[in-house]
Amino acid sequence: MIKAGIIGGAGYTAGELIRLLINHPEVEIKFVNSSSNAGNKITDVHEGLYGETDLVFTDELPLDEIDVLFFCTAHGDTKKFMDSHNVPEDLKIIDLSMDYRIKSNDHDFIYGLPELNRRAICHSKHVANPGCFATCIQLGLLPLAKHLLLNEDVMVNAITGSTAPFIVIETDILFKGIPSNKTFIFSIEQIDTPALPTSPTTRSLSASYPR
């Protein structure tokens, strides 16, 4: 049985993750951390899980009791945590934020798109979960790239809402405050395969936010 912990348990991303894990026959959730909801039932926040779990939020971090730690935190918080805490060396970490999606000599996180990096993910201790835009674009274009069918620029019009992974309303995810986020483009450009289009193609990608 794989023992899992979750940090940032009150957000929408965590709610979906909890639903997946409590229905996984080989996973046991040991804790769901949320400092603002400590002591409250998971279902007080994630109402769709009523009848599925009796778990309670905690502000504790018993990292020595788990095999894998999921970060469902706001962008930037995972890196702050990793820099300020003594994380067990053998602990598997899966980060759902964008902190480690871009390949760098400063970390050893693997880009966690299983259709592309399945073998590397299986053998890595640190996995960075891809973002929504990068995932939908890559899953659509990678089969074409594999068969060398991308011979010119591709225009991708991707549309999103503004909930992001959070429950609490933040000014930077309101319509007027949504920034131009180029992380998903960098995520695509870093893929190391000669079959993928070159930079002129990736520069033609765009994201649209409903107004």
Side-chain angles (χ1 to χ4, degrees), residues 102-153:
I102 307 302
K103 186 186 301 183
S104 170
N105 294 328
D106 297 331
H107 65 78
D108 63 350
F109 278 76
I110 293 294
Y111 188 67
L113 188 68
E115 292 82 358
L116 179 70
N117 284 334
R118 182 178 302 275
R119 183 171 297 180
I121 293 169
C122 290
H123 293 91
S124 175
K125 287 192 296 186
H126 297 158
V127 177
N129 198 66
C132 52
F133 279 126
T135 298
C136 74
I137 293 169
Q138 288 166 333
L139 292 183
L141 296 184
L142 282 172
L144 298 174
K146 180 180 179 180
H147 294 285
L148 303 178
L149 295 176
L150 294 179
N151 301 314
E152 56 187 40
D153 286 359

Side-chain angles (χ1 to χ4, degrees), residues 22 41-54:
I22 61 178
K41 293 182 178 180
I42 298 292
T43 50
D44 288 344
V45 174
H46 304 299
E47 297 179 356
L49 296 177
Y50 272 117
E52 296 287 333
T53 180
D54 295 322

Side-chain angles (χ1 to χ4, degrees), residues 39-179:
N40 297 331
K41 293 182 178 180
I42 298 292
T43 50
D44 288 344
V45 174
H46 304 299
E47 297 179 356
L49 296 177
Y50 272 117
E52 296 287 333
T53 180
D54 295 322
L55 284 168
V56 174
F57 290 110
T58 180
D59 57 3
E60 298 181 359
L61 292 167
L63 300 182
D64 57 341
E65 298 180 8
I66 59 174
D67 304 305
V68 57
L69 177 64
F70 291 88
F71 282 95
C72 300
T73 50
H75 301 315
D77 286 354
T78 301
K79 189 176 188 307
K80 291 177 183 176
F81 184 95
M82 295 291 288
D83 291 342
S84 61
H85 288 73
N86 187 17
V87 179
E89 188 174 343
D90 60 345
L91 181 61
K92 181 113 176 179
I93 294 175
I94 301 177
D95 179 27
L96 275 65
S97 79
M98 69 178 188
D99 290 12
Y100 295 104
R101 289 173 185 165
I102 307 302
K103 186 186 301 183
S104 170
N105 294 328
D106 297 331
H107 65 78
D108 63 350
F109 278 76
I110 293 294
Y111 188 67
L113 188 68
E115 292 82 358
L116 179 70
N117 284 334
R118 182 178 302 275
R119 183 171 297 180
I121 293 169
C122 290
H123 293 91
S124 175
K125 287 192 296 186
H126 297 158
V127 177
N129 198 66
C132 52
F133 279 126
T135 298
C136 74
I137 293 169
Q138 288 166 333
L139 292 183
L141 296 184
L142 282 172
L144 298 174
K146 180 180 179 180
H147 294 285
L148 303 178
L149 295 176
L150 294 179
N151 301 314
E152 56 187 40
D153 286 359
V154 176
M155 182 66 186
V156 176
N157 182 31
I159 302 174
T160 185
S162 62
T163 57
F166 319 111
I167 293 289
V168 178
I169 293 186
E170 303 283 353
T171 56
D172 63 345
I173 63 169
L174 296 175
F175 287 128
K176 67 177 182 179
I178 294 178

